[in-house]
Amino acid sequence: MTVQTEKKHYLNFINDEWVPSSTRAVIENTNPANNEDVIGYVQKSTKEDLDNAVATAKAAQKSWKKLPGDARGKFLYKAADILESRIDEIAETMTREMGKTLPEAKGETARGVAILRYYAGEGMRKVGDVIPSTDKDALMFTSRAPLGVVGVITPWNFPVAIPIWKAAPALIYGNTVVLKPATETAVTCAKVYECFAEAGFPPGVVNMITGPGSVIGQGLAEHPDVNGITFTGSNSVGKQIGQTVLARGGKYQLEMGGKNPVIVSSDADLDLAVEATISGGLRSTGQKCTATSRVIIQSEVYEEFKEKLLEKVKEITIGNGLEEGIWMGPSASENQLNTVLSYIQKGLDEGASLILGGERLSGDEFDNGYFIQPTLFENVTSDMTIAQEEIFGPVLALMKVESMEEALELANDVEFGLSASIFTTNIQKMLSFINEMDAGLVRINAESAGVELQAPFGGMKQSSSHSREQGQAAIEFFTSIKTVFVK
Ligand code: NAP
Ligand code: MG
């Protein structure tokens, strides 16, 4: 397959061909740092287009699943090499399309390469266990069967890494894929698919279709020939998808929001804690599911930590993420900016004290973009909206506590349980945190937002459907266990 070259129109990728939507309708994607910059047009596809994609994936799965894992892996290695050769270009598209800074976008794209290689290797690793049978003449073992067609629905905040960390394991374990990327970052995702196209997967094995979530996302969830849905995005959409897939007996995996705390203990290395709070809370303009949003600080160090934090946050440079020296880009869209501003207003209305930022930036280079100041609140109590709901913006809520018990209680006093971190040098505090914190990722003396691709990733409570993705944990969703008895 050829690569789509310099152009503005990005097509669906179905059955090894780039095709427009049946109605020819398109959606325009612009740059959140400068809304006069048009990144491209993506297809506003229909149910009919989706049916084609699913039918082609279903047909292709029959022979794809018969290939040895090693042979499937070769396509992933090839895609990794092609993606690696395009890191700079794809990262630039990502920055233009959703605003994160260029170094972050390059890091994410390189991560995508590494994930592809990791799962390519999975094709050569063990998939089952031998279990002693009570029958002396029998051999009993477990094997793995692919689900069939997997529908992948992804958000805009990691437009390269998330589609890859879902599609790559789906493929290596013998499933075929129909991916519906977030509309806001569909051009970036189309470029990842150009790499898949060039890697030469058999026709129908990897498909991408763009269009509104309510049509294409919901359509995938409802489709009787889509055997599994893996979704990352908001809680409201995720739960709706889960119910839809469950109702027709399909398998689903949901990774959703977070309200991640960092605890700064009285014995913490405060400089380290400040640095990690800023990085975890404000990088990517606070738009990571694992972003720090609540900072729970022991009273003995509260003032000192707050002063250090204020001083460092004031140094943050805001602007177009393509420019050198810029640390924080815009919110990813006007919608997202307005959501963040409305949460800030709620914080004020409910009595939190604004100690920094809080406003949209305006003037010269800011007027055509969705830039917002890094924002700090203090005197935040757990019943406030800004202490409970995911904001997805550069907003931190400082909360003062007297003891570790109180810190842990506050940290757990939310519906979410994705990621949490603590800064302490005290082993007892570390252990209580590890034991008591209800979160899928618990991190000691490290920011809440780091993940490694070879380790399981996912949340507790309302943050996920209690499954895990990434690393070898991915096999649990993308396959079914077959218990085999041979006599
Ligand atoms: P979103 O609005 O839920 O959208 C996610 C995906 O679902 C998009 O592809 C979207 O399509 C699609 N969609 C929208 N409405 C749908 C519907 N009715 N039925 C089926 N699909 C539908 O989330 P987002 O705003 O893109 O992303 C931000 C959220 O993702 C945050 O809550 C964040 O915490 C979460 N997130 C979680 C993780 C994690 O691993 N836990 C990682 C990253 C992000 P359109 O783009 O066309 O609307
Ligand atoms: Mg959305």
Side-chain angles (χ1 to χ4, degrees):
M1 248 346 278
T2 50
V3 171
Q4 307 187 80
T5 44
E6 268 309 287
K7 49 150 178 40
K8 288 273 182 187
H9 282 266
Y10 292 83
L11 306 179
N12 292 327
F13 187 66
I14 298 173
N15 205 18
D16 207 27
E17 284 182 40
W18 293 103
V19 289
S21 78
S22 45
T23 62
R24 298 290 199 275
V26 294
I27 302 166
E28 181 182 89
N29 275 6
T30 57
N31 182 342
N34 169 16
N35 54 30
E36 288 172 352
D37 176 23
V38 176
I39 317 302
Y41 299 87
V42 298
Q43 303 304 305
K44 189 175 178 185
S45 310
T46 62
K47 181 76 175 48
E48 183 191 334
D49 302 321
L50 176 65
D51 287 342
N52 288 339
V54 173
T56 193
K58 187 179 177 185
Q61 206 257 337
K62 288 193 186 75
S63 41
W64 178 247
K65 73 171 183 188
K66 289 187 184 140
L67 285 183
D70 164 57
R72 290 195 292 261
K74 288 200 170 90
F75 294 104
L76 295 182
Y77 279 123
K78 185 91 190 286
D81 291 345
I82 297 161
L83 180 62
E84 189 169 46
S85 73
R86 293 181 63 184
I87 286 178
D88 289 350
E89 171 224 336
I90 292 178
E92 188 186 317
T93 301
M94 191 194 308
T95 298
R96 281 175 62 211
E97 194 168 37
M98 63 71 69
K100 72 173 64 169
T101 64
L102 192 57
E104 285 181 90
K106 283 186 186 172
E108 183 186 333
T109 312
R111 167 72 63 112
V113 173
I115 296 168
L116 283 167
R117 292 193 176 130
Y118 176 86
Y119 283 112
E122 272 301 279
M124 296 285 272
R125 293 192 196 104
K126 75 161 197 141
V127 293
D129 298 302
V130 175
I131 297 152
S133 168
T134 53
D135 183 332
K136 68 178 172 43
D137 297 321
L139 168 65
M140 187 160 67
F141 62 94
T142 59
S143 175
R144 294 274 177 171
L147 301 181
V149 176
V150 169
V152 176
I153 305 174
T154 55
W156 46 261
N157 64 338
F158 289 97
V160 168
I162 295 180
I164 290 179
W165 88 45
K166 291 176 180 299
L171 293 167
I172 199 68
Y173 298 126
N175 305 281
T176 52
V177 166
V178 177
L179 178 132
K180 183 236 149 341
T183 302
E184 260 147 39
T185 47
V187 171
T188 304
C189 197
K191 291 191 170 197
V192 172
Y193 261 69
E194 289 174 349
C195 300
F196 285 164
E198 207 187 327
F201 286 89
V205 169
V206 282
N207 305 278
M208 182 198 74
I209 175 166
T210 59
S214 55
V215 178
I216 304 302
Q218 182 66 17
L220 267 175
E222 287 169 356
H223 207 296
D225 290 335
V226 175
N227 308 90
I229 292 279
T230 173
F231 166 87
T232 296
S234 62
N235 274 65
S236 52
V237 173
K239 282 194 172 152
Q240 191 188 322
I241 288 176
Q243 283 171 3
T244 305
V245 181
L246 179 67
R248 62 173 179 83
K251 193 173 182 183
Y252 63 89
Q253 171 181 52
L254 314 170
E255 289 302 333
M256 302 173 286
K259 190 67 193 170
N260 313 297
V262 52
I263 297 175
V264 181
S265 146
S266 50
D267 53 72
D269 174 337
L270 291 187
D271 292 320
L272 181 67
V274 164
E275 195 188 307
T277 300
I278 291 175
S279 179
L282 307 177
R283 273 214 184 274
S284 286
T285 322
Q287 302 168 125
K288 295 183 186 177
C289 51
T290 50
T292 302
S293 66
R294 298 177 296 143
V295 192
I296 300 167
I297 308 145
Q298 281 201 282
S299 57
E300 296 94 313
V301 292
Y302 184 87
E303 287 305 323
E304 190 185 351
F305 176 85
K306 177 178 120 184
E307 288 316 315
K308 281 175 186 277
L309 184 69
L310 275 168
E311 189 187 318
K312 287 283 177 199
V313 173
K314 283 178 189 159
E315 290 171 8
I316 289 177
T317 48
I318 304 161
N320 186 328
L322 286 180
E323 284 166 25
E324 229 167 280
I326 294 296
W327 193 92
M328 193 175 98
S331 288
S333 65
E334 189 168 19
N335 248 340
Q336 195 58 41
L337 173 75
N338 289 334
T339 304
V340 177
L341 288 170
S342 75
Y343 275 115
I344 291 171
Q345 189 55 49
K346 261 195 191 131
L348 292 168
D349 294 346
E350 292 176 11
S353 320
L354 183 68
I355 52 173
L356 191 73
E359 298 203 9
R360 181 177 182 170
L361 289 162
S362 57
D364 300 343
E365 78 264 40
F366 297 126
D367 278 346
N368 291 330
Y370 311 121
F371 295 98
I372 183 163
Q373 296 170 324
T375 298
L376 304 186
F377 278 103
E378 68 175 346
N379 298 321
V380 177
T381 54
S382 206
D383 56 346
M384 291 180 185
T385 309
I386 59 167
Q388 291 295 326
E389 293 182 15
E390 182 179 53
I391 299 174
F392 237 49
V395 181
L396 293 171
L398 307 194
M399 305 167 96
K400 193 196 292 184
V401 292
E402 297 306 324
S403 65
M404 251 316 269
E405 291 68 41
E406 196 189 341
L408 278 166
E409 204 175 304
L410 266 191
N412 278 326
D413 187 25
V414 288
E415 289 187 337
F416 298 106
L418 185 53
S419 174
S421 69
I422 189 170
F423 287 83
T424 181
T425 49
N426 177 309
I427 188 99
Q428 193 50 53
K429 288 183 181 177
M430 289 180 196
L431 290 175
S432 347
F433 180 73
I434 293 168
N435 290 331
E436 304 301 323
M437 190 67 226
D438 298 326
L441 305 158
V442 291
R443 298 173 51 85
I444 321 292
N445 294 322
E447 67 174 74
S448 66
V451 294
E452 297 205 26
L453 63 96
Q454 71 279 25
F457 175 79
M460 292 184 182
K461 293 155 72 178
Q462 302 289 314
S463 289
S464 98
S465 55
H466 316 291
S467 41
R468 292 291 178 267
E469 45 186 4
Q470 301 205 60
Q472 291 188 314
I475 198 171
E476 299 304 334
F477 178 74
F478 291 107
T479 66
S480 294
I481 293 179
K482 243 182 214 179
T483 303
V484 184
F485 184 84
V486 188
K487 182 155 171 164

